[in-house]
Amino acid sequence: VEIAQETILLSAENDDVTTFPVDLVSMVRFSDLTAKDAVGRAVVVTDWGDWLVCNGLSVGDGVVSFTNSLCGEVELDVARSRWILAPQPGMTPREIQARCMAALGESTPPGDVLFVRRGDEIAVLEGVLLGLDDSKVSFHWRQRDRQMDMSNVLAVRTAGPGLPLTEPMGTIVARDGSRVNFVSVELNIPAGELARGANIAWRDMSKRAWACAVSEVLAIEFASSGFVSLTDLPPVSVAEHGFFDIAFPHRQNETLAGGALKLGGREFSQGLGVSPLCEMTFDIAGRFSSFCAIVGINDAMRPGGSAVFVVLGDGKGLCSEPIRGSDEPRRVEADVRGVGELKIRVDFPAMEELDVGGHVDIALPRLMQ
């Protein structure tokens, strides 16, 4: 594989070389690498939209310091480190952030915000972050400097003006769950080089140059103009009705239980975790020609689980596939030319096939122009 400027070159085993324009490529994935579990790890979310899994996290003198698998030793201004998510047993970083945002509601405090666990509740404290390490956090609150054990802290949201949003060229996805946006990337892996330490080089959203071993990278996702991920489109409506009226809300970029999207032994960084009955409607305004995705029962539930995956365009059935845990995941496609309203439905199977363990993963759902 070689990535340079506007093209990607892929060499086959017979030395044939195929060239792809970058704007027609959605992802480059390194299939012989596996993801690590990010549960219980600290994460820093930057103003540029990066998610950096941390080792040795500390805050002092207005600087956030840590080590990351992609970026090595990192020092960031506190104002650029918009979220600091503390490790929590059994909780993914995105679950922690979602709980804290729900506790924050629609308010936007001008200062730093400390999210503290109080039993099943979350206390939201506005003040100034003074320092942080593995054992404690120092926080100025109600005119006093205070210290708190880190075991009670869920997250810190830092104050800052924010940066103008710009579109990245793509995202590097690390094996540990880190996600780093880039404006340019270079990669050259001759046959057999991956195991011997080939490197990938990129410039982040601030144009700073970085490099790391490809062995730390799970995939390179491109913000291709020819593809749009369904996870980037907010649905205009969502209807969810579970079995016996017990509904399980869908999750974005993780399975229904909060873990990794995993189908057939392969982990995916983009997609939806849903259960029957879930119906999501999107306004696509006739802008696309086709829809595709990889669907199946999440590996953790197999060989149990069953559902039906349905795609409708303007109320007309375009695709209907039975999903069973005993089957391998499958790629589904639908022609959506001229479609204004796209509806994705995960339905219950026929009663004789009903299995309530229908944790369905919809991986890499793409709309293509």
Side-chain angles (χ1 to χ4, degrees):
V1 178
E2 181 178 348
I3 303 175
Q5 297 182 346
E6 303 297 324
T7 60
I8 295 178
L9 280 68
L10 181 64
S11 299
E13 292 183 357
N14 61 1
D15 294 330
D16 287 345
V17 177
T18 305
T19 301
F20 301 92
V22 167
D23 61 358
L24 294 181
V25 176
S26 173
M27 176 185 294
V28 174
R29 181 182 173 87
F30 303 103
S31 59
D32 58 341
L33 300 179
T34 58
K36 302 174 184 176
D37 192 351
V39 172
R41 305 285 300 279
V43 169
V44 169
V45 184
T46 74
D47 250 352
W48 294 280
D50 305 320
W51 284 66
L52 301 173
V53 177
C54 305
N55 292 310
L57 175 66
S58 66
V59 178
D61 299 324
V63 176
V64 180
S65 303
F66 56 92
T67 303
N68 174 259
S69 65
L70 291 180
C71 303
E73 299 289 337
V74 179
E75 290 190 348
L76 291 174
D77 188 281
V78 168
R80 299 279 74 85
S81 308
R82 183 47 53 94
W83 284 88
I84 301 172
L85 306 173
Q88 298 295 323
M91 292 182 66
T92 68
R94 291 189 183 276
E95 286 178 310
I96 298 170
Q97 186 190 50
R99 287 192 61 186
C100 292
M101 291 180 66
L104 193 62
E106 297 182 0
S107 62
T108 307
D112 299 334
V113 180
L114 183 66
F115 297 88
V116 181
R117 184 165 46 193
R118 291 285 186 260
D120 293 333
E121 303 295 324
I122 298 176
V124 179
L125 311 179
E126 182 185 352
V128 178
L129 176 64
L130 302 176
L132 179 152
D133 58 29
D134 290 338
S135 61
K136 64 183 181 299
V137 60
S138 300
F139 199 74
H140 185 80
W141 180 60
R142 292 187 175 178
Q143 301 180 340
R144 287 180 54 189
D145 293 350
R146 306 166 190 263
Q147 288 191 343
M148 184 175 301
D149 193 286
M150 277 297 293
S151 62
N152 296 319
V153 175
L154 284 174
V156 180
R157 185 185 186 278
T158 64
L163 295 172
L165 294 178
T166 57
E167 289 295 325
M169 179 183 178
T171 304
I172 297 172
V173 183
R175 294 176 61 201
D176 67 1
S178 297
R179 297 178 62 87
V180 177
N181 293 325
F182 60 83
V183 295
S184 65
V185 64
E186 293 184 7
L187 172 66
N188 187 355
I189 308 178
E193 280 296 311
L194 184 58
R196 295 198 292 271
N199 285 342
I200 178 172
W202 74 94
R203 290 188 180 273
D204 65 17
M205 300 302 289
S206 67
K207 307 295 180 65
R208 181 178 175 180
W210 299 88
C212 75
V214 174
S215 58
E216 294 294 339
V217 179
L218 190 67
I220 305 170
E221 299 175 350
F222 290 92
S224 170
S225 60
F227 297 82
V228 173
S229 173
L230 205 64
T231 57
D232 292 333
L233 293 179
V236 296
S237 67
V238 177
E240 293 169 319
H241 305 284
F243 199 65
F244 293 126
D245 293 328
I246 302 175
F248 297 93
H250 72 280
R251 292 176 179 261
Q252 185 164 306
N253 297 328
E254 56 187 19
T255 194
L256 197 67
L261 296 165
K262 190 171 183 179
L263 296 171
R266 176 181 172 189
E267 293 195 4
F268 297 86
S269 58
Q270 285 188 346
L272 298 164
V274 302
S275 70
L277 170 75
C278 176
E279 189 172 86
M280 308 179 73
T281 303
F282 301 86
D283 180 9
I284 63 173
R287 296 181 293 135
F288 302 97
S289 63
S290 61
F291 166 81
C292 68
I294 300 171
V295 299
I297 301 296
N298 183 267
D299 281 1
M301 304 301 295
R302 297 178 64 196
S306 60
V308 179
F309 181 80
V310 180
V311 180
L312 299 102
D314 296 327
K316 178 183 177 182
L318 304 178
C319 170
S320 179
E321 294 283 350
I323 306 297
R324 304 181 185 90
S326 56
D327 297 336
E328 291 299 311
R330 66 187 66 188
R331 176 184 172 90
V332 297
E333 298 185 28
D335 187 335
V336 297
R337 285 175 291 186
V339 169
E341 181 184 89
L342 178 70
K343 188 167 294 187
I344 304 298
R345 177 190 296 159
V346 174
D347 208 342
F348 292 103
M351 187 58 66
E352 61 269 18
E353 295 187 18
L354 183 62
D355 185 333
V356 293
H359 288 206
V360 176
D361 288 355
I362 307 172
L364 302 181
R366 297 285 198 266
L367 287 161
M368 290 165 283
Q369 295 179 342

